Amino acid sequence: MPAEVTAIRALPDPVIPDRGVLQYLSASRLKCWQTCRRQFYFRYVEQIKTRTAPALFIGQAVHEILRIHNWARWKEEPQDLERLHAELLRYWEQQAATVDVRWKGAADEATAKQQAWAMLEAYFKQSPVAALEKPEGVEVEVECDLGGFGIPPLIGIIDLVRPPGLIVDYKTAARAPNAAMAELQHATQLACYALLYREATGQPESGFELHHLIKTKAPKIIVSAFGPMSQPRQSELFRLIDDYLSGIAAEAWIPSPGQHCSWCDYAAECRAMSGL
Ligand code: SF4
């Protein structure tokens, strides 16, 4: 399986019914646009439903439990691993009943559930965040008004903000990331979060941390720390937004063939569109 497939967690895209692709921006939309405009078309314009990859389902479950864990820290409640494990099982059952996941069978799903808890246990033991550290924000939903630039608002959800102004995003992955590569791969997402944070607080962020939960036999936690968004990065983000808006208006669904086609959910539709 390609590394990218196991490294993803769906970027939180606050889906707002009846608001189309030109009405708001999100990190996931911009990232998809950067990857392949035709994939963007199938996902956001045609809204073709696809089955959920197991790695994505695991990542979402892990993320949910980390959210509950951080809320408990916010409320200064003691850490309760038994309760968190019960929450994972409850969430899993609830989601599994409604989400069509590409499990290979019941044993595959049971192993995935164990893996998810093993990663969380490792995180609770190895997390760089002190138990008594009070978060500045947990699962913060922010809307950044970009109307002054004549463009739609940017909407997003930030996993965690540590004091002082440190933006944290969680990732689950099959292999340990290279820090420089991780910063590059997630540059668009982090730049979006920086804009959102600045809009919400009126202050620049102090930096970013990516907390990777690695799904090895003995799970590992890798924390990569980066400085605040640079001016060139901010300019690149606005250039990307400009390209996104003009590309959608022109319906320029240009395919970007490459290695990522191997794990594209819309490869069959893409081939048909290209007459292959
Ligand atoms: S198969 Fe490749 S070129 Fe086609 S939509 Fe998917 S990523 Fe884009």
Side-chain angles (χ1 to χ4, degrees), residues 148-183:
F149 299 97
I151 51 184
L154 173 68
I155 295 173
I157 302 169
I158 300 174
D159 286 349
L160 172 69
V161 184
R162 299 181 61 192
L166 186 60
I167 297 171
V168 176
D169 193 66
Y170 296 117
K171 306 281 179 202
T172 52
R175 281 186 278 281
N178 167 295
M181 198 50 73
E183 185 178 29

PDB file of all heavy atoms in Angstrom, residues 148-183:
ATOM      1  N   GLY A 148     -12.568  41.276   2.347  1.00  0.00           N
ATOM      2  CA  GLY A 148     -11.797  42.471   1.997  1.00  0.00           C
ATOM      3  C   GLY A 148     -10.937  42.238   0.763  1.00  0.00           C
ATOM      4  O   GLY A 148     -10.535  43.183   0.082  1.00  0.00           O
ATOM      5  N   PHE A 149     -10.609  40.976   0.501  1.00  0.00           N
ATOM      6  CA  PHE A 149      -9.813  40.639  -0.693  1.00  0.00           C
ATOM      7  C   PHE A 149     -10.722  40.211  -1.848  1.00  0.00           C
ATOM      8  O   PHE A 149     -10.244  39.762  -2.888  1.00  0.00           O
ATOM      9  CB  PHE A 149      -8.843  39.484  -0.381  1.00  0.00           C
ATOM     10  CG  PHE A 149      -7.855  39.794   0.708  1.00  0.00           C
ATOM     11  CD1 PHE A 149      -8.080  39.387   2.020  1.00  0.00           C
ATOM     12  CD2 PHE A 149      -6.698  40.500   0.418  1.00  0.00           C
ATOM     13  CE1 PHE A 149      -7.165  39.672   3.014  1.00  0.00           C
ATOM     14  CE2 PHE A 149      -5.775  40.789   1.410  1.00  0.00           C
ATOM     15  CZ  PHE A 149      -6.014  40.382   2.711  1.00  0.00           C
ATOM     16  N   GLY A 150     -12.036  40.283  -1.620  1.00  0.00           N
ATOM     17  CA  GLY A 150     -12.974  39.889  -2.665  1.00  0.00           C
ATOM     18  C   GLY A 150     -13.049  38.389  -2.856  1.00  0.00           C
ATOM     19  O   GLY A 150     -13.353  37.909  -3.955  1.00  0.00           O
ATOM     20  N   ILE A 151     -12.747  37.632  -1.809  1.00  0.00           N
ATOM     21  CA  ILE A 151     -12.795  36.168  -1.934  1.00  0.00           C
ATOM     22  C   ILE A 151     -13.632  35.579  -0.794  1.00  0.00           C
ATOM     23  O   ILE A 151     -13.850  36.231   0.228  1.00  0.00           O
ATOM     24  CB  ILE A 151     -11.377  35.538  -1.951  1.00  0.00           C
ATOM     25  CG1 ILE A 151     -10.527  36.019  -0.783  1.00  0.00           C
ATOM     26  CG2 ILE A 151     -10.671  35.824  -3.242  1.00  0.00           C
ATOM     27  CD1 ILE A 151      -9.111  35.498  -0.820  1.00  0.00           C
ATOM     28  N   PRO A 152     -14.119  34.335  -0.971  1.00  0.00           N
ATOM     29  CA  PRO A 152     -15.005  33.740   0.037  1.00  0.00           C
ATOM     30  C   PRO A 152     -14.268  33.485   1.364  1.00  0.00           C
ATOM     31  O   PRO A 152     -13.034  33.467   1.400  1.00  0.00           O
ATOM     32  CB  PRO A 152     -15.420  32.395  -0.596  1.00  0.00           C
ATOM     33  CG  PRO A 152     -14.980  32.448  -2.009  1.00  0.00           C
ATOM     34  CD  PRO A 152     -13.876  33.435  -2.100  1.00  0.00           C
ATOM     35  N   PRO A 153     -15.026  33.260   2.433  1.00  0.00           N
ATOM     36  CA  PRO A 153     -14.381  33.005   3.725  1.00  0.00           C
ATOM     37  C   PRO A 153     -13.659  31.660   3.745  1.00  0.00           C
ATOM     38  O   PRO A 153     -14.036  30.736   3.028  1.00  0.00           O
ATOM     39  CB  PRO A 153     -15.554  32.991   4.711  1.00  0.00           C
ATOM     40  CG  PRO A 153     -16.750  32.672   3.887  1.00  0.00           C
ATOM     41  CD  PRO A 153     -16.491  33.227   2.530  1.00  0.00           C
ATOM     42  N   LEU A 154     -12.637  31.601   4.582  1.00  0.00           N
ATOM     43  CA  LEU A 154     -11.914  30.353   4.824  1.00  0.00           C
ATOM     44  C   LEU A 154     -12.463  29.786   6.127  1.00  0.00           C
ATOM     45  O   LEU A 154     -12.561  30.500   7.134  1.00  0.00           O
ATOM     46  CB  LEU A 154     -10.414  30.644   4.966  1.00  0.00           C
ATOM     47  CG  LEU A 154      -9.518  29.494   5.386  1.00  0.00           C
ATOM     48  CD1 LEU A 154      -9.433  28.445   4.282  1.00  0.00           C
ATOM     49  CD2 LEU A 154      -8.106  30.008   5.715  1.00  0.00           C
ATOM     50  N   ILE A 155     -12.842  28.510   6.092  1.00  0.00           N
ATOM     51  CA  ILE A 155     -13.454  27.890   7.262  1.00  0.00           C
ATOM     52  C   ILE A 155     -12.626  26.682   7.656  1.00  0.00           C
ATOM     53  O   ILE A 155     -12.153  25.935   6.785  1.00  0.00           O
ATOM     54  CB  ILE A 155     -14.908  27.482   6.930  1.00  0.00           C
ATOM     55  CG1 ILE A 155     -15.725  28.751   6.662  1.00  0.00           C
ATOM     56  CG2 ILE A 155     -15.546  26.675   8.047  1.00  0.00           C
ATOM     57  CD1 ILE A 155     -17.121  28.503   6.172  1.00  0.00           C
ATOM     58  N   GLY A 156     -12.407  26.471   8.945  1.00  0.00           N
ATOM     59  CA  GLY A 156     -11.621  25.305   9.341  1.00  0.00           C
ATOM     60  C   GLY A 156     -11.754  24.981  10.810  1.00  0.00           C
ATOM     61  O   GLY A 156     -12.333  25.748  11.591  1.00  0.00           O
ATOM     62  N   ILE A 157     -11.230  23.823  11.156  1.00  0.00           N
ATOM     63  CA  ILE A 157     -11.270  23.345  12.537  1.00  0.00           C
ATOM     64  C   ILE A 157      -9.840  22.999  12.946  1.00  0.00           C
ATOM     65  O   ILE A 157      -9.195  22.177  12.294  1.00  0.00           O
ATOM     66  CB  ILE A 157     -12.163  22.088  12.653  1.00  0.00           C
ATOM     67  CG1 ILE A 157     -13.576  22.391  12.152  1.00  0.00           C
ATOM     68  CG2 ILE A 157     -12.207  21.588  14.099  1.00  0.00           C
ATOM     69  CD1 ILE A 157     -14.446  21.158  11.975  1.00  0.00           C
ATOM     70  N   ILE A 158      -9.363  23.639  14.003  1.00  0.00           N
ATOM     71  CA  ILE A 158      -8.001  23.383  14.487  1.00  0.00           C
ATOM     72  C   ILE A 158      -8.079  22.376  15.635  1.00  0.00           C
ATOM     73  O   ILE A 158      -8.847  22.568  16.582  1.00  0.00           O
ATOM     74  CB  ILE A 158      -7.344  24.708  14.953  1.00  0.00           C
ATOM     75  CG1 ILE A 158      -7.280  25.693  13.776  1.00  0.00           C
ATOM     76  CG2 ILE A 158      -5.955  24.447  15.523  1.00  0.00           C
ATOM     77  CD1 ILE A 158      -6.793  27.085  14.140  1.00  0.00           C
ATOM     78  N   ASP A 159      -7.285  21.301  15.555  1.00  0.00           N
ATOM     79  CA  ASP A 159      -7.358  20.227  16.551  1.00  0.00           C
ATOM     80  C   ASP A 159      -7.126  20.737  17.973  1.00  0.00           C
ATOM     81  O   ASP A 159      -7.889  20.453  18.885  1.00  0.00           O
ATOM     82  CB  ASP A 159      -6.295  19.149  16.265  1.00  0.00           C
ATOM     83  CG  ASP A 159      -6.666  18.283  15.063  1.00  0.00           C
ATOM     84  OD1 ASP A 159      -7.811  18.368  14.598  1.00  0.00           O
ATOM     85  OD2 ASP A 159      -5.794  17.521  14.606  1.00  0.00           O
ATOM     86  N   LEU A 160      -6.018  21.453  18.138  1.00  0.00           N
ATOM     87  CA  LEU A 160      -5.607  21.851  19.495  1.00  0.00           C
ATOM     88  C   LEU A 160      -4.731  23.089  19.401  1.00  0.00           C
ATOM     89  O   LEU A 160      -3.909  23.199  18.486  1.00  0.00           O
ATOM     90  CB  LEU A 160      -4.811  20.691  20.130  1.00  0.00           C
ATOM     91  CG  LEU A 160      -4.109  20.944  21.464  1.00  0.00           C
ATOM     92  CD1 LEU A 160      -5.129  21.114  22.595  1.00  0.00           C
ATOM     93  CD2 LEU A 160      -3.165  19.784  21.802  1.00  0.00           C
ATOM     94  N   VAL A 161      -4.915  24.008  20.333  1.00  0.00           N
ATOM     95  CA  VAL A 161      -3.980  25.129  20.454  1.00  0.00           C
ATOM     96  C   VAL A 161      -3.363  25.062  21.841  1.00  0.00           C
ATOM     97  O   VAL A 161      -4.075  25.115  22.853  1.00  0.00           O
ATOM     98  CB  VAL A 161      -4.662  26.500  20.233  1.00  0.00           C
ATOM     99  CG1 VAL A 161      -3.617  27.609  20.286  1.00  0.00           C
ATOM    100  CG2 VAL A 161      -5.409  26.538  18.901  1.00  0.00           C
ATOM    101  N   ARG A 162      -2.035  24.881  21.869  1.00  0.00           N
ATOM    102  CA  ARG A 162      -1.308  24.845  23.151  1.00  0.00           C
ATOM    103  C   ARG A 162      -0.815  26.253  23.476  1.00  0.00           C
ATOM    104  O   ARG A 162      -0.516  27.026  22.555  1.00  0.00           O
ATOM    105  CB  ARG A 162      -0.086  23.923  23.042  1.00  0.00           C
ATOM    106  CG  ARG A 162      -0.403  22.476  22.724  1.00  0.00           C
ATOM    107  CD  ARG A 162       0.883  21.654  22.669  1.00  0.00           C
ATOM    108  NE  ARG A 162       1.566  21.674  23.956  1.00  0.00           N
ATOM    109  CZ  ARG A 162       2.813  21.244  24.151  1.00  0.00           C
ATOM    110  NH1 ARG A 162       3.517  20.765  23.127  1.00  0.00           N
ATOM    111  NH2 ARG A 162       3.361  21.283  25.336  1.00  0.00           N
ATOM    112  N   PRO A 163      -0.675  26.562  24.756  1.00  0.00           N
ATOM    113  CA  PRO A 163      -0.133  27.879  25.090  1.00  0.00           C
ATOM    114  C   PRO A 163       1.368  27.918  24.790  1.00  0.00           C
ATOM    115  O   PRO A 163       2.047  26.920  25.017  1.00  0.00           O
ATOM    116  CB  PRO A 163      -0.389  27.972  26.606  1.00  0.00           C
ATOM    117  CG  PRO A 163      -0.507  26.550  27.080  1.00  0.00           C
ATOM    118  CD  PRO A 163      -1.036  25.758  25.927  1.00  0.00           C
ATOM    119  N   PRO A 164       1.876  29.034  24.296  1.00  0.00           N
ATOM    120  CA  PRO A 164       1.153  30.231  23.855  1.00  0.00           C
ATOM    121  C   PRO A 164       0.988  30.218  22.331  1.00  0.00           C
ATOM    122  O   PRO A 164       1.948  30.449  21.617  1.00  0.00           O
ATOM    123  CB  PRO A 164       2.104  31.354  24.288  1.00  0.00           C
ATOM    124  CG  PRO A 164       3.485  30.742  24.147  1.00  0.00           C
ATOM    125  CD  PRO A 164       3.343  29.242  24.290  1.00  0.00           C
ATOM    126  N   GLY A 165      -0.214  29.982  21.865  1.00  0.00           N
ATOM    127  CA  GLY A 165      -0.512  30.100  20.433  1.00  0.00           C
ATOM    128  C   GLY A 165       0.165  29.069  19.552  1.00  0.00           C
ATOM    129  O   GLY A 165       0.513  29.362  18.404  1.00  0.00           O
ATOM    130  N   LEU A 166       0.339  27.853  20.054  1.00  0.00           N
ATOM    131  CA  LEU A 166       1.000  26.797  19.289  1.00  0.00           C
ATOM    132  C   LEU A 166      -0.081  25.888  18.694  1.00  0.00           C
ATOM    133  O   LEU A 166      -0.826  25.225  19.429  1.00  0.00           O
ATOM    134  CB  LEU A 166       1.921  26.004  20.226  1.00  0.00           C
ATOM    135  CG  LEU A 166       2.817  24.938  19.625  1.00  0.00           C
ATOM    136  CD1 LEU A 166       3.770  25.532  18.589  1.00  0.00           C
ATOM    137  CD2 LEU A 166       3.640  24.284  20.742  1.00  0.00           C
ATOM    138  N   ILE A 167      -0.143  25.866  17.375  1.00  0.00           N
ATOM    139  CA  ILE A 167      -1.198  25.114  16.678  1.00  0.00           C
ATOM    140  C   ILE A 167      -0.752  23.664  16.505  1.00  0.00           C
ATOM    141  O   ILE A 167       0.318  23.402  15.957  1.00  0.00           O
ATOM    142  CB  ILE A 167      -1.493  25.761  15.310  1.00  0.00           C
ATOM    143  CG1 ILE A 167      -2.037  27.172  15.503  1.00  0.00           C
ATOM    144  CG2 ILE A 167      -2.458  24.908  14.494  1.00  0.00           C
ATOM    145  CD1 ILE A 167      -2.166  27.979  14.224  1.00  0.00           C
ATOM    146  N   VAL A 168      -1.588  22.742  16.984  1.00  0.00           N
ATOM    147  CA  VAL A 168      -1.254  21.308  16.920  1.00  0.00           C
ATOM    148  C   VAL A 168      -2.217  20.608  15.969  1.00  0.00           C
ATOM    149  O   VAL A 168      -3.428  20.840  16.008  1.00  0.00           O
ATOM    150  CB  VAL A 168      -1.360  20.661  18.320  1.00  0.00           C
ATOM    151  CG1 VAL A 168      -1.121  19.148  18.237  1.00  0.00           C
ATOM    152  CG2 VAL A 168      -0.363  21.306  19.287  1.00  0.00           C
ATOM    153  N   ASP A 169      -1.652  19.751  15.117  1.00  0.00           N
ATOM    154  CA  ASP A 169      -2.512  18.920  14.267  1.00  0.00           C
ATOM    155  C   ASP A 169      -2.067  17.463  14.422  1.00  0.00           C
ATOM    156  O   ASP A 169      -0.881  17.167  14.442  1.00  0.00           O
ATOM    157  CB  ASP A 169      -2.404  19.348  12.803  1.00  0.00           C
ATOM    158  CG  ASP A 169      -3.517  18.728  11.978  1.00  0.00           C
ATOM    159  OD1 ASP A 169      -4.692  19.074  12.221  1.00  0.00           O
ATOM    160  OD2 ASP A 169      -3.221  17.883  11.119  1.00  0.00           O
ATOM    161  N   TYR A 170      -3.053  16.575  14.542  1.00  0.00           N
ATOM    162  CA  TYR A 170      -2.763  15.147  14.712  1.00  0.00           C
ATOM    163  C   TYR A 170      -2.780  14.441  13.368  1.00  0.00           C
ATOM    164  O   TYR A 170      -3.625  14.728  12.516  1.00  0.00           O
ATOM    165  CB  TYR A 170      -3.825  14.497  15.614  1.00  0.00           C
ATOM    166  CG  TYR A 170      -3.841  15.027  17.024  1.00  0.00           C
ATOM    167  CD1 TYR A 170      -4.959  15.688  17.516  1.00  0.00           C
ATOM    168  CD2 TYR A 170      -2.741  14.878  17.851  1.00  0.00           C
ATOM    169  CE1 TYR A 170      -4.978  16.185  18.809  1.00  0.00           C
ATOM    170  CE2 TYR A 170      -2.750  15.374  19.144  1.00  0.00           C
ATOM    171  CZ  TYR A 170      -3.872  16.021  19.608  1.00  0.00           C
ATOM    172  OH  TYR A 170      -3.885  16.513  20.885  1.00  0.00           O
ATOM    173  N   LYS A 171      -1.855  13.484  13.235  1.00  0.00           N
ATOM    174  CA  LYS A 171      -1.805  12.648  12.032  1.00  0.00           C
ATOM    175  C   LYS A 171      -1.603  11.202  12.467  1.00  0.00           C
ATOM    176  O   LYS A 171      -0.851  10.951  13.419  1.00  0.00           O
ATOM    177  CB  LYS A 171      -0.609  13.024  11.137  1.00  0.00           C
ATOM    178  CG  LYS A 171      -0.527  14.486  10.745  1.00  0.00           C
ATOM    179  CD  LYS A 171      -1.477  14.791   9.641  1.00  0.00           C
ATOM    180  CE  LYS A 171      -1.422  16.267   9.240  1.00  0.00           C
ATOM    181  NZ  LYS A 171      -2.648  16.690   8.566  1.00  0.00           N
ATOM    182  N   THR A 172      -2.231  10.272  11.770  1.00  0.00           N
ATOM    183  CA  THR A 172      -1.880   8.868  11.955  1.00  0.00           C
ATOM    184  C   THR A 172      -1.160   8.431  10.687  1.00  0.00           C
ATOM    185  O   THR A 172      -1.499   8.867   9.586  1.00  0.00           O
ATOM    186  CB  THR A 172      -3.128   7.999  12.189  1.00  0.00           C
ATOM    187  OG1 THR A 172      -4.071   8.240  11.149  1.00  0.00           O
ATOM    188  CG2 THR A 172      -3.765   8.288  13.529  1.00  0.00           C
ATOM    189  N   ALA A 173      -0.151   7.589  10.857  1.00  0.00           N
ATOM    190  CA  ALA A 173       0.650   7.195   9.697  1.00  0.00           C
ATOM    191  C   ALA A 173       1.229   5.800   9.917  1.00  0.00           C
ATOM    192  O   ALA A 173       1.312   5.320  11.048  1.00  0.00           O
ATOM    193  CB  ALA A 173       1.782   8.199   9.474  1.00  0.00           C
ATOM    194  N   ALA A 174       1.609   5.169   8.817  1.00  0.00           N
ATOM    195  CA  ALA A 174       2.190   3.821   8.906  1.00  0.00           C
ATOM    196  C   ALA A 174       3.683   3.891   9.197  1.00  0.00           C
ATOM    197  O   ALA A 174       4.259   2.955   9.744  1.00  0.00           O
ATOM    198  CB  ALA A 174       1.957   3.071   7.606  1.00  0.00           C
ATOM    199  N   ARG A 175       4.308   4.999   8.791  1.00  0.00           N
ATOM    200  CA  ARG A 175       5.757   5.138   8.973  1.00  0.00           C
ATOM    201  C   ARG A 175       6.086   6.489   9.577  1.00  0.00           C
ATOM    202  O   ARG A 175       5.334   7.454   9.386  1.00  0.00           O
ATOM    203  CB  ARG A 175       6.456   5.023   7.621  1.00  0.00           C
ATOM    204  CG  ARG A 175       6.599   3.585   7.149  1.00  0.00           C
ATOM    205  CD  ARG A 175       7.423   3.518   5.881  1.00  0.00           C
ATOM    206  NE  ARG A 175       6.604   3.822   4.711  1.00  0.00           N
ATOM    207  CZ  ARG A 175       5.777   2.942   4.143  1.00  0.00           C
ATOM    208  NH1 ARG A 175       5.668   1.736   4.627  1.00  0.00           N
ATOM    209  NH2 ARG A 175       5.071   3.277   3.098  1.00  0.00           N
ATOM    210  N   ALA A 176       7.231   6.536  10.254  1.00  0.00           N
ATOM    211  CA  ALA A 176       7.664   7.801  10.864  1.00  0.00           C
ATOM    212  C   ALA A 176       7.956   8.813   9.765  1.00  0.00           C
ATOM    213  O   ALA A 176       8.595   8.474   8.766  1.00  0.00           O
ATOM    214  CB  ALA A 176       8.906   7.561  11.706  1.00  0.00           C
ATOM    215  N   PRO A 177       7.485  10.058   9.920  1.00  0.00           N
ATOM    216  CA  PRO A 177       7.707  11.050   8.868  1.00  0.00           C
ATOM    217  C   PRO A 177       9.084  11.695   8.981  1.00  0.00           C
ATOM    218  O   PRO A 177       9.682  11.729  10.057  1.00  0.00           O
ATOM    219  CB  PRO A 177       6.626  12.085   9.170  1.00  0.00           C
ATOM    220  CG  PRO A 177       6.483  12.025  10.663  1.00  0.00           C
ATOM    221  CD  PRO A 177       6.752  10.599  11.061  1.00  0.00           C
ATOM    222  N   ASN A 178       9.547  12.227   7.867  1.00  0.00           N
ATOM    223  CA  ASN A 178      10.716  13.093   7.862  1.00  0.00           C
ATOM    224  C   ASN A 178      10.177  14.500   8.139  1.00  0.00           C
ATOM    225  O   ASN A 178       9.239  14.944   7.476  1.00  0.00           O
ATOM    226  CB  ASN A 178      11.361  12.987   6.470  1.00  0.00           C
ATOM    227  CG  ASN A 178      12.384  14.053   6.224  1.00  0.00           C
ATOM    228  OD1 ASN A 178      12.068  15.234   6.171  1.00  0.00           O
ATOM    229  ND2 ASN A 178      13.611  13.620   6.075  1.00  0.00           N
ATOM    230  N   ALA A 179      10.751  15.189   9.135  1.00  0.00           N
ATOM    231  CA  ALA A 179      10.161  16.460   9.589  1.00  0.00           C
ATOM    232  C   ALA A 179      10.064  17.490   8.457  1.00  0.00           C
ATOM    233  O   ALA A 179       9.029  18.134   8.279  1.00  0.00           O
ATOM    234  CB  ALA A 179      10.957  17.027  10.754  1.00  0.00           C
ATOM    235  N   ALA A 180      11.161  17.625   7.677  1.00  0.00           N
ATOM    236  CA  ALA A 180      11.150  18.635   6.608  1.00  0.00           C
ATOM    237  C   ALA A 180      10.094  18.284   5.565  1.00  0.00           C
ATOM    238  O   ALA A 180       9.382  19.150   5.046  1.00  0.00           O
ATOM    239  CB  ALA A 180      12.524  18.736   5.966  1.00  0.00           C
ATOM    240  N   MET A 181       9.969  16.991   5.258  1.00  0.00           N
ATOM    241  CA  MET A 181       8.987  16.556   4.264  1.00  0.00           C
ATOM    242  C   MET A 181       7.569  16.766   4.799  1.00  0.00           C
ATOM    243  O   MET A 181       6.673  17.185   4.056  1.00  0.00           O
ATOM    244  CB  MET A 181       9.238  15.079   3.934  1.00  0.00           C
ATOM    245  CG  MET A 181       8.608  14.611   2.661  1.00  0.00           C
ATOM    246  SD  MET A 181       8.960  15.667   1.244  1.00  0.00           S
ATOM    247  CE  MET A 181      10.671  15.270   0.936  1.00  0.00           C
ATOM    248  N   ALA A 182       7.390  16.486   6.091  1.00  0.00           N
ATOM    249  CA  ALA A 182       6.057  16.668   6.690  1.00  0.00           C
ATOM    250  C   ALA A 182       5.647  18.144   6.615  1.00  0.00           C
ATOM    251  O   ALA A 182       4.492  18.462   6.310  1.00  0.00           O
ATOM    252  CB  ALA A 182       6.068  16.191   8.142  1.00  0.00           C
ATOM    253  N   GLU A 183       6.585  19.039   6.855  1.00  0.00           N
ATOM    254  CA  GLU A 183       6.269  20.472   6.806  1.00  0.00           C
ATOM    255  C   GLU A 183       5.851  20.871   5.384  1.00  0.00           C
ATOM    256  O   GLU A 183       4.903  21.628   5.185  1.00  0.00           O
ATOM    257  CB  GLU A 183       7.485  21.296   7.245  1.00  0.00           C
ATOM    258  CG  GLU A 183       7.180  22.785   7.324  1.00  0.00           C
ATOM    259  CD  GLU A 183       8.353  23.602   7.806  1.00  0.00           C
ATOM    260  OE1 GLU A 183       9.504  23.183   7.577  1.00  0.00           O
ATOM    261  OE2 GLU A 183       8.116  24.669   8.407  1.00  0.00           O
TER     262      GLU A 183
END
